[in-house]
PDB file of all heavy atoms in Angstrom:
ATOM      1  N   ASN B 251     -34.560 -46.707  42.612  1.00 87.00           N
ATOM      2  CA  ASN B 251     -34.034 -47.568  43.657  1.00 87.00           C
ATOM      3  C   ASN B 251     -34.833 -47.487  44.953  1.00 87.00           C
ATOM      4  O   ASN B 251     -34.621 -48.268  45.865  1.00 87.00           O
ATOM      5  CB  ASN B 251     -32.567 -47.216  43.926  1.00 87.00           C
ATOM      6  CG  ASN B 251     -31.718 -47.417  42.691  1.00 87.00           C
ATOM      7  OD1 ASN B 251     -31.777 -48.480  42.072  1.00 87.00           O
ATOM      8  ND2 ASN B 251     -30.972 -46.405  42.313  1.00 87.00           N
ATOM      9  N   MET B 252     -35.715 -46.515  45.074  1.00 89.00           N
ATOM     10  CA  MET B 252     -36.507 -46.344  46.290  1.00 89.00           C
ATOM     11  C   MET B 252     -37.990 -46.316  45.915  1.00 89.00           C
ATOM     12  O   MET B 252     -38.662 -45.295  46.118  1.00 89.00           O
ATOM     13  CB  MET B 252     -36.113 -45.024  46.982  1.00 89.00           C
ATOM     14  CG  MET B 252     -34.636 -44.872  47.280  1.00 89.00           C
ATOM     15  SD  MET B 252     -34.062 -45.817  48.692  1.00 89.00           S
ATOM     16  CE  MET B 252     -34.545 -44.767  50.033  1.00 89.00           C
ATOM     17  N   PRO B 253     -38.538 -47.402  45.367  1.00 89.00           N
ATOM     18  CA  PRO B 253     -39.898 -47.353  44.805  1.00 89.00           C
ATOM     19  C   PRO B 253     -40.987 -47.096  45.844  1.00 89.00           C
ATOM     20  O   PRO B 253     -41.930 -46.345  45.589  1.00 89.00           O
ATOM     21  CB  PRO B 253     -40.059 -48.722  44.142  1.00 89.00           C
ATOM     22  CG  PRO B 253     -39.072 -49.600  44.830  1.00 89.00           C
ATOM     23  CD  PRO B 253     -37.933 -48.722  45.227  1.00 89.00           C
ATOM     24  N   GLU B 254     -40.875 -47.692  47.049  1.00 88.00           N
ATOM     25  CA  GLU B 254     -42.001 -47.616  47.990  1.00 88.00           C
ATOM     26  C   GLU B 254     -42.158 -46.233  48.577  1.00 88.00           C
ATOM     27  O   GLU B 254     -43.272 -45.698  48.640  1.00 88.00           O
ATOM     28  CB  GLU B 254     -41.821 -48.659  49.095  1.00 88.00           C
ATOM     29  CG  GLU B 254     -41.912 -50.064  48.519  1.00 88.00           C
ATOM     30  CD  GLU B 254     -42.089 -51.116  49.593  1.00 88.00           C
ATOM     31  OE1 GLU B 254     -42.592 -50.781  50.678  1.00 88.00           O
ATOM     32  OE2 GLU B 254     -41.702 -52.262  49.327  1.00 88.00           O
ATOM     33  N   VAL B 255     -41.021 -45.643  48.979  1.00 88.00           N
ATOM     34  CA  VAL B 255     -41.132 -44.305  49.566  1.00 88.00           C
ATOM     35  C   VAL B 255     -41.502 -43.291  48.483  1.00 88.00           C
ATOM     36  O   VAL B 255     -42.228 -42.317  48.732  1.00 88.00           O
ATOM     37  CB  VAL B 255     -39.852 -43.944  50.353  1.00 88.00           C
ATOM     38  CG1 VAL B 255     -38.715 -43.578  49.426  1.00 88.00           C
ATOM     39  CG2 VAL B 255     -40.124 -42.810  51.323  1.00 88.00           C
ATOM     40  N   SER B 256     -41.059 -43.566  47.230  1.00 90.00           N
ATOM     41  CA  SER B 256     -41.463 -42.689  46.121  1.00 90.00           C
ATOM     42  C   SER B 256     -42.967 -42.747  45.931  1.00 90.00           C
ATOM     43  O   SER B 256     -43.615 -41.722  45.680  1.00 90.00           O
ATOM     44  CB  SER B 256     -40.768 -43.111  44.824  1.00 90.00           C
ATOM     45  OG  SER B 256     -39.378 -42.947  44.951  1.00 90.00           O
ATOM     46  N   ALA B 257     -43.547 -43.959  46.078  1.00 89.00           N
ATOM     47  CA  ALA B 257     -45.000 -44.102  45.955  1.00 89.00           C
ATOM     48  C   ALA B 257     -45.699 -43.339  47.072  1.00 89.00           C
ATOM     49  O   ALA B 257     -46.741 -42.696  46.858  1.00 89.00           O
ATOM     50  CB  ALA B 257     -45.378 -45.578  45.986  1.00 89.00           C
ATOM     51  N   TRP B 258     -45.128 -43.387  48.279  1.00 89.00           N
ATOM     52  CA  TRP B 258     -45.736 -42.649  49.399  1.00 89.00           C
ATOM     53  C   TRP B 258     -45.719 -41.147  49.115  1.00 89.00           C
ATOM     54  O   TRP B 258     -46.708 -40.455  49.320  1.00 89.00           O
ATOM     55  CB  TRP B 258     -45.005 -42.950  50.707  1.00 89.00           C
ATOM     56  CG  TRP B 258     -45.619 -42.221  51.865  1.00 89.00           C
ATOM     57  CD1 TRP B 258     -46.712 -42.610  52.579  1.00 89.00           C
ATOM     58  CD2 TRP B 258     -45.217 -40.948  52.407  1.00 89.00           C
ATOM     59  NE1 TRP B 258     -47.033 -41.689  53.525  1.00 89.00           N
ATOM     60  CE2 TRP B 258     -46.120 -40.651  53.457  1.00 89.00           C
ATOM     61  CE3 TRP B 258     -44.198 -40.059  52.131  1.00 89.00           C
ATOM     62  CZ2 TRP B 258     -46.025 -39.490  54.214  1.00 89.00           C
ATOM     63  CZ3 TRP B 258     -44.102 -38.899  52.874  1.00 89.00           C
ATOM     64  CH2 TRP B 258     -45.010 -38.619  53.912  1.00 89.00           C
ATOM     65  N   PHE B 259     -44.574 -40.648  48.575  1.00 88.00           N
ATOM     66  CA  PHE B 259     -44.493 -39.221  48.238  1.00 88.00           C
ATOM     67  C   PHE B 259     -45.545 -38.867  47.201  1.00 88.00           C
ATOM     68  O   PHE B 259     -46.190 -37.829  47.276  1.00 88.00           O
ATOM     69  CB  PHE B 259     -43.105 -38.875  47.694  1.00 88.00           C
ATOM     70  CG  PHE B 259     -42.063 -38.705  48.757  1.00 88.00           C
ATOM     71  CD1 PHE B 259     -40.885 -39.425  48.729  1.00 88.00           C
ATOM     72  CD2 PHE B 259     -42.263 -37.798  49.801  1.00 88.00           C
ATOM     73  CE1 PHE B 259     -39.925 -39.253  49.707  1.00 88.00           C
ATOM     74  CE2 PHE B 259     -41.294 -37.627  50.786  1.00 88.00           C
ATOM     75  CZ  PHE B 259     -40.129 -38.363  50.742  1.00 88.00           C
ATOM     76  N   ALA B 260     -45.733 -39.779  46.229  1.00 87.00           N
ATOM     77  CA  ALA B 260     -46.675 -39.483  45.151  1.00 87.00           C
ATOM     78  C   ALA B 260     -48.102 -39.408  45.669  1.00 87.00           C
ATOM     79  O   ALA B 260     -48.934 -38.675  45.132  1.00 87.00           O
ATOM     80  CB  ALA B 260     -46.559 -40.548  44.058  1.00 87.00           C
ATOM     81  N   SER B 261     -48.401 -40.165  46.760  1.00 87.00           N
ATOM     82  CA  SER B 261     -49.780 -40.226  47.233  1.00 87.00           C
ATOM     83  C   SER B 261     -50.084 -39.170  48.292  1.00 87.00           C
ATOM     84  O   SER B 261     -51.224 -39.075  48.739  1.00 87.00           O
ATOM     85  CB  SER B 261     -50.064 -41.619  47.800  1.00 87.00           C
ATOM     86  OG  SER B 261     -49.288 -41.793  48.965  1.00 87.00           O
ATOM     87  N   THR B 262     -49.075 -38.400  48.703  1.00 87.00           N
ATOM     88  CA  THR B 262     -49.351 -37.387  49.738  1.00 87.00           C
ATOM     89  C   THR B 262     -49.028 -35.998  49.214  1.00 87.00           C
ATOM     90  O   THR B 262     -48.299 -35.833  48.241  1.00 87.00           O
ATOM     91  CB  THR B 262     -48.482 -37.648  50.991  1.00 87.00           C
ATOM     92  OG1 THR B 262     -47.119 -37.762  50.572  1.00 87.00           O
ATOM     93  CG2 THR B 262     -48.904 -38.893  51.713  1.00 87.00           C
TER      94      THR B 262
END
Side-chain angles (χ1 to χ4, degrees):
Chain B
N251 299 309
M252 305 283 279
E254 294 194 25
V255 76
S256 296
W258 181 82
F259 281 125
S261 67
T262 52

